Amino acid sequence: MKALVFDLDGTLVDSVYQHLTAWAEAFRAAGSNVPLYEIHRRIGMNGNHMIDALNSALHLQITAAQKAALIEAHADNYENIRGLVRVFDGADELSRTLKDLKIGMAIATSAKRDLAQAFLNMLKLDDSVVVVTADDIDRSKPSDAQFQTAFAKLGVNPQEAAAVGDSTWDMLAACQAGSLGVGVLTDGYSREELSSSGAVRVFCDVRELLDRLPELGVIQK
Amino acid sequence: MKALVFDLDGTLVDSVYQHLTAWAEAFRAAGSNVPLYEIHRRIGMNGNHMIDALNSALHLQITAAQKAALIEAHADNYENIRGLVRVFDGADELSRTLKDLKIGMAIATSAKRDLAQAFLNMLKLDDSVVVVTADDIDRSKPSDAQFQTAFAKLGVNPQEAAAVGDSTWDMLAACQAGSLGVGVLTDGYSREELSSSGAVRVFCDVRELLDRLPELGVIQK
């Protein structure tokens, strides 16, 4: 194992339910009666893809113009509540611990850089950490494009790395990228959902992952 | 099959995520850093029991006075957002459909009567529907006391009925009561979590349950 690539929202910071609230309010304002668990299950995709997925599964008949308005409303609503988001226990120790073990670290997020920056600051990242945002590559999960970009920037093959995420979409992207997928439960998915989407290991949270790094093939000298 | 007893929050009305928001804000104001998925997983218990469960699992060291304050803060926070709660598709057809089929119906909720009343009104219930709230019996899920009270008021044995709910705590209570447990996915639990807590059938939502009543042993004349 040479490197670990982490998703940001829901994996390192506790923001999934704030995103859910922001999307729920956007759909409500647009007059779409979408059950909240259906939104919850699709967070972790990028916004464009998430709306397409809901549109298709629930036959919502959302137009292109309505889609653009939903994305804007979500961004506005989220802006008002993102100050509530906290870093998960252990997340701000990851980069130091992995550096000591000579394991590369990257963060791959479908958020834009300016939105991610406040969280990245809270994570006390070592300068060596590679960060891939929507500013670097727009195609994001369930596409493997962001994980691939992270592996390339780290200079590792996908087979020598693992992608850590909280959603089934992270696991799909990890599989497609040809790397191991590792799940954490902090999004609200069950172990079985993450396993059946390709996760080879599932931890409660990044704290447990840190305590069990040897179980990911990380050699602790 | 002679009767169906339904949970209210998360089963008939889409209120789980509003409860989660209200609890999250209460814990935040009290200075407890509780990951939101840990709260989500315990909604559906009554508030007292939920705090005990979090306290024990996460070693929060919450005192009796803090517990009372958390319960009050949740109630206040929830009051501000419960106007956002909507009835799930099909929920307002249940009592008419079941009456036509001569199947008894009850609703058993750990909410107090005055809090439940607005939702009960939205459900357009037939007068024959039995309602059990926290005003009738304070012990609620995961205790089977409320389901037992509902079966008694309906005049059916638990073995002749099913209890329908959205959380693992509903399924535990159904098992303990000696009735079939039937799950719906509208809380955000996975099929596997509901099944492994005792659900003998899992439907997406009450709309699907309505469309598949024969699969619960309900005879449609």
Side-chain angles (χ1 to χ4, degrees):
Chain A
M1 184 64 64
K2 290 190 178 170
L4 295 178
V5 178
F6 293 85
D7 169 62
L8 179 61
D9 283 279
T11 300
L12 301 179
V13 299
D14 197 355
S15 58
V16 165
Y17 294 92
Q18 271 84 20
H19 276 296
L20 169 59
T21 299
W23 281 115
E25 190 46 42
F27 280 104
R28 180 193 314 278
S32 280
N33 190 1
V34 183
L36 300 194
Y37 84 103
E38 297 275 17
I39 301 175
H40 187 188
R41 277 287 178 286
R42 291 172 181 84
I43 286 179
M45 295 182 175
N46 73 62
N48 247 312
H49 199 88
M50 194 197 83
I51 296 171
D52 288 348
L54 284 168
N55 203 16
S56 170
L58 306 180
H59 312 290
L60 299 176
Q61 302 182 302
I62 293 170
T63 65
Q66 288 170 324
K67 186 171 162 180
L70 282 168
I71 289 173
E72 197 178 323
H74 163 264
D76 290 346
N77 297 338
Y78 182 65
E79 185 61 32
N80 293 332
I81 52 177
R82 73 186 171 100
L84 299 174
V85 174
R86 289 196 278 202
V87 167
F88 284 120
D89 180 38
D92 56 357
E93 298 171 28
L94 277 169
S95 76
R96 200 169 54 242
T97 302
L98 292 174
K99 192 186 186 187
D100 287 347
L101 294 166
K102 301 195 191 331
I103 302 291
M105 174 172 170
I107 294 174
T109 174
S110 48
K112 290 203 186 296
R113 181 80 195 206
D114 60 351
L115 210 60
Q117 193 58 54
F119 296 152
L120 297 173
N121 296 344
M122 290 157 77
L123 291 169
K124 304 175 193 160
L125 299 176
D126 184 79
D127 290 342
S128 63
V129 174
V130 165
V131 175
V132 179
T133 70
D135 296 19
D136 301 298
I137 180 158
D138 193 36
R139 277 186 304 133
S140 60
K141 293 152 251 181
S143 156
D144 65 337
Q146 289 201 317
F147 285 155
Q148 294 286 17
T149 304
F151 296 140
K153 287 193 176 184
L154 286 166
V156 299
N157 292 321
Q159 304 96 300
E160 302 168 318
V164 183
D166 58 291
S167 79
T168 53
W169 321 114
D170 293 309
M171 299 305 102
L172 285 179
C175 288
Q176 194 167 25
S179 72
L180 296 178
V182 174
V184 286
L185 296 176
T186 37
D187 180 311
Y189 281 98
S190 68
R191 287 180 183 277
E192 295 78 10
E193 286 170 302
L194 293 168
S195 298
S196 63
S197 301
V200 293
R201 299 282 302 155
V202 179
F203 299 106
C204 289
D205 50 24
V206 286
R207 164 61 65 199
E208 191 182 70
L209 177 145
L210 261 176
D211 292 343
R212 297 188 176 194
L213 280 173
E215 299 179 25
L216 289 179
V218 172
I219 296 162
Q220 296 186 291
K221 315 257 161 51
Chain B
M1 183 65 64
K2 291 191 178 170
L4 295 178
V5 178
F6 293 85
D7 169 62
L8 179 61
D9 284 278
T11 300
L12 301 179
V13 299
D14 196 355
S15 59
V16 166
Y17 294 92
Q18 270 84 20
H19 276 296
L20 169 58
T21 299
W23 281 116
E25 190 47 42
F27 280 104
R28 180 192 314 277
S32 280
N33 190 1
V34 183
L36 299 194
Y37 85 103
E38 297 275 18
I39 301 175
H40 186 188
R41 276 287 179 286
R42 290 172 181 84
I43 287 179
M45 295 182 175
N46 73 63
N48 247 313
H49 200 88
M50 194 197 83
I51 295 172
D52 288 348
L54 285 168
N55 203 14
S56 170
L58 306 181
H59 313 289
L60 299 177
Q61 302 182 304
I62 292 170
T63 65
Q66 288 170 324
K67 186 172 162 179
L70 281 167
I71 289 173
E72 198 178 323
H74 163 264
D76 290 346
N77 297 338
Y78 182 65
E79 186 61 30
N80 293 331
I81 52 178
R82 74 185 170 100
L84 300 173
V85 173
R86 289 196 277 202
V87 167
F88 285 120
D89 180 40
D92 57 356
E93 298 172 26
L94 276 169
S95 76
R96 200 170 53 244
T97 302
L98 292 174
K99 191 184 187 187
D100 287 348
L101 295 167
K102 300 196 192 329
I103 301 290
M105 174 172 169
I107 294 176
T109 173
S110 49
K112 289 203 186 298
R113 182 80 194 206
D114 59 351
L115 210 59
Q117 194 58 54
F119 297 152
L120 297 173
N121 295 345
M122 290 157 77
L123 290 170
K124 305 174 193 161
L125 299 177
D126 184 79
D127 290 342
S128 63
V129 174
V130 166
V131 176
V132 179
T133 69
D135 296 19
D136 301 298
I137 180 158
D138 193 37
R139 277 186 304 131
S140 61
K141 291 151 249 181
S143 157
D144 64 337
Q146 289 200 317
F147 286 155
Q148 293 286 18
T149 304
F151 297 140
K153 287 193 177 184
L154 287 166
V156 298
N157 292 321
Q159 304 96 299
E160 302 168 319
V164 183
D166 58 291
S167 78
T168 53
W169 320 114
D170 293 310
M171 298 306 102
L172 285 178
C175 288
Q176 194 167 26
S179 72
L180 296 178
V182 175
V184 286
L185 296 177
T186 37
D187 181 311
Y189 281 97
S190 68
R191 287 181 184 277
E192 295 78 10
E193 286 171 303
L194 293 168
S195 299
S196 62
S197 301
V200 294
R201 297 283 302 155
V202 179
F203 298 106
C204 290
D205 50 25
V206 286
R207 164 62 64 200
E208 192 182 70
L209 177 145
L210 262 175
D211 292 342
R212 298 189 176 194
L213 280 173
E215 298 179 26
L216 289 180
V218 172
I219 296 161
Q220 296 186 291
K221 315 255 161 50

